[in-house]
Amino acid sequence: MEKTLDFWFEYASPYSYPAAMRVEQLAAQAGVKVRWRVFLLGAVFQQYGWKTTPNELFPAKGNYMWHDMQRICASLNMPYQKPSTFPRNGMLAARISANYAESTWIGDFVRAVYTANFAHDQDIGNSELIANILNKLGQDSAQIIAEANSDDGKQKLKQQTQQALQQDVFGAPFMMVGNEPFWGNDRLEQAIYFAAHGKLPTSVTLA
């Protein structure tokens, strides 16, 4: 039986950046397959009656997050630059990720988009930037973007976001191993271990 981990992510989510950059390599080392599952956090916020992100509703939390991101990326030797615009519009990238989730190149695409946003401070809402990423991956950017922006393409992202809500995915990154949930970049290794072994590390027990 194939060991899998559903990796739920949102392109505007800062903590999804270090997790997305590492998840596929760490999972492969553990014999686990990653299933990329993009969704829109805005839908989650709406169900709680929030009109903006929690980090803007609670400035102290937002300030801490950016400081924490610096520490995390430095500890991982990962390039990081606080986006000059936040949150950026990742809708096109999300639609592509939803429609091509099973493609062999999707992991490279996800990592490239995150790198553009959180390492190079580039506008991932710019269709030309997304097209350049696809072209560098050897893909037909015009066709992929057209399909992602079609009615069917838009619907796929909506359906996946609804699936996330039904599974009580309330933040990003969020990992699901069967019915076992793990939230946050700091739970990535634990989620992968659970996917590989069907249990938590011996030093971790459930209350």
Side-chain angles (χ1 to χ4, degrees):
M1 183 176 179
E2 188 176 49
K3 301 172 182 178
T4 60
L5 177 149
D6 286 345
F7 182 79
W8 290 95
F9 65 100
E10 223 270 20
Y11 281 112
S13 163
Y15 284 116
S16 291
Y17 165 53
M21 298 301 289
R22 299 183 299 132
V23 61
E24 206 161 46
Q25 181 178 357
L26 292 177
Q29 292 171 355
V32 173
K33 178 183 177 180
V34 174
R35 295 192 295 197
W36 297 95
R37 296 291 182 258
V38 69
F39 73 112
L40 299 178
L41 269 173
V44 176
F45 300 156
Q46 287 175 6
Q47 74 173 359
Y48 292 114
W50 299 341
K51 296 182 179 180
T52 185
T53 69
N55 297 314
E56 291 186 356
L57 289 171
F58 308 102
K61 184 178 186 296
N63 292 335
Y64 173 84
M65 177 191 69
W66 294 121
H67 181 64
D68 197 32
M69 280 291 295
Q70 287 183 317
R71 295 185 301 195
I72 290 171
C73 292
S75 70
L76 296 171
N77 196 28
M78 187 177 296
Y80 167 73
Q81 184 175 348
K82 179 183 175 181
S84 55
T85 300
F86 180 82
R88 284 196 167 110
N89 183 353
M91 185 66 73
L92 175 57
R95 287 172 179 164
I96 291 171
S97 300
N99 281 273
Y100 292 88
E102 307 305 321
S103 299
T104 57
W105 49 266
I106 196 62
D108 290 330
F109 175 79
V110 171
R111 287 185 287 271
V113 174
Y114 272 116
T115 299
N117 194 16
F118 291 104
H120 302 311
D121 190 21
Q122 295 175 317
D123 182 9
I124 59 171
N126 186 308
S127 60
E128 291 185 8
L129 183 145
I130 298 299
N132 286 336
I133 290 175
L134 290 168
N135 291 335
K136 289 179 180 179
L137 295 175
Q139 304 305 311
D140 186 338
S141 61
Q143 178 181 342
I144 289 173
I145 290 174
E147 290 180 357
N149 283 330
S150 68
D151 289 342
D152 288 344
K154 294 176 181 178
Q155 187 63 26
K156 178 66 174 178
L157 177 58
K158 291 179 181 178
Q159 291 173 345
Q160 199 152 284
T161 298
Q162 285 302 312
Q163 182 183 352
L165 294 175
Q166 291 167 4
Q167 294 186 13
D168 292 330
V169 174
F170 56 82
F174 203 100
M175 288 71 68
M176 290 292 296
V177 182
N179 294 322
E180 192 71 18
F182 299 85
W183 174 46
N185 171 66
D186 58 345
R187 292 293 182 267
L188 178 61
E189 286 83 356
Q190 193 178 97
I192 292 172
Y193 187 96
F194 191 90
H197 302 284
K199 61 181 181 179
L200 295 172
T202 54
S203 59
V204 179
T205 57
L206 291 174

